[in-house]
Amino acid sequence: MKLTVKTLKGLIKEVLKENEMTLVEEIAYMDEKAVFDALAGKDFGGEKILTLGIMSGQNPDAIEMSPEENEKRRVALEAKIDSMGLDAIRVGGVFEGNREDSLLIINPHKATGESAGGFGSYVRDGVSIMDNLNNMFGQWGYVYGKKDPKDPIETMQFQMMQMDKYSDRFADDVEELPGEEDYEDLHHGEDYMQSPLASPEAAAFGKKAPGSKIAKNITDVPDEQDDFYSYVQDPKKKDKQGKKFGVPLYEVKVGKKLLRIKRKK
């Protein structure tokens, strides 16, 4: 099925209908300590954290939606996570200039139940769940955190996962086609991001985003940085924006007016 705005709206309506009587009580605003403890992989509610997922249901493919549409998507994602029996913490972020409500999903691998994958299967199970959620909500990708299966006491390792529907979008036989980085700068959020590959299966899988790296720590974000950051959600503050933080998955260059992610080919 080709993911279009129309089909995505249909999916969200289905999720809302299925969960219209559900009170999403497990998903809440939490203070800085709880958020950063979870990001560090500390126990959550007495449960060991092995995997984490950070995603938003809003602004699919970095295409800005109306506030009304984004609110529907926020409610739909929270209802979906709740129906899967997963815990999550509300966080936020600003990416490509779009402010988004996001979720820090605790142990997404648990939604697969008992895995038949054998040793270390929770890593693959978590990716599968996050892939499915991103595919459902038409997202560009997500941040995935995991502990080393050989030493799950260690801290989280984060990576940027990009849905595979964006692979091979740049043909080599097109005359005067700009480079990938320039093309994204010019056309990000436009038609090339809305058209998936010919194979419908490709959109359902994520892979490590090109140019990204493994991150093993969470960083502070300076006050002057106005794009590409996450934050603790605090409903008492303007835009619900509490403490800023970053997951250093890319090399970042800060200019006088522009912060851009340097993507390696």
Side-chain angles (χ1 to χ4, degrees), residues 141-175:
Y142 58 93
V143 175
Y144 186 63
K146 64 180 178 64
K147 289 184 176 177
D148 185 346
K150 297 180 181 179
D151 192 0
I153 297 176
E154 292 298 317
T155 56
M156 304 300 297
Q157 298 181 21
F158 296 94
Q159 58 184 330
M160 188 75 231
M161 300 294 288
Q162 178 179 358
M163 299 306 287
D164 201 38
K165 58 185 174 179
Y166 307 111
S167 298
D168 303 323
R169 295 300 300 160
F170 305 95
D172 293 329
D173 57 350
V174 178
E175 187 175 355

Side-chain angles (χ1 to χ4, degrees), residues 121-211:
S121 62
Y122 68 82
V123 175
R124 297 190 299 273
D125 289 348
V127 168
S128 175
I129 293 299
M130 294 304 300
D131 282 353
N132 289 339
L133 287 168
N134 271 247
N135 193 32
M136 177 180 292
F137 286 86
Q139 293 300 306
W140 181 92
Y142 58 93
V143 175
Y144 186 63
K146 64 180 178 64
K147 289 184 176 177
D148 185 346
K150 297 180 181 179
D151 192 0
I153 297 176
E154 292 298 317
T155 56
M156 304 300 297
Q157 298 181 21
F158 296 94
Q159 58 184 330
M160 188 75 231
M161 300 294 288
Q162 178 179 358
M163 299 306 287
D164 201 38
K165 58 185 174 179
Y166 307 111
S167 298
D168 303 323
R169 295 300 300 160
F170 305 95
D172 293 329
D173 57 350
V174 178
E175 187 175 355
E176 297 182 355
L177 185 73
E180 178 175 346
E181 182 172 327
D182 292 334
Y183 194 85
E184 287 194 345
D185 287 345
L186 288 170
H187 301 287
H188 189 78
E190 297 184 8
D191 58 342
Y192 90 101
M193 293 194 75
Q194 299 179 46
S195 178
L197 294 174
S199 170
E201 292 81 12
F205 299 97
K207 64 180 182 180
K208 184 173 177 291

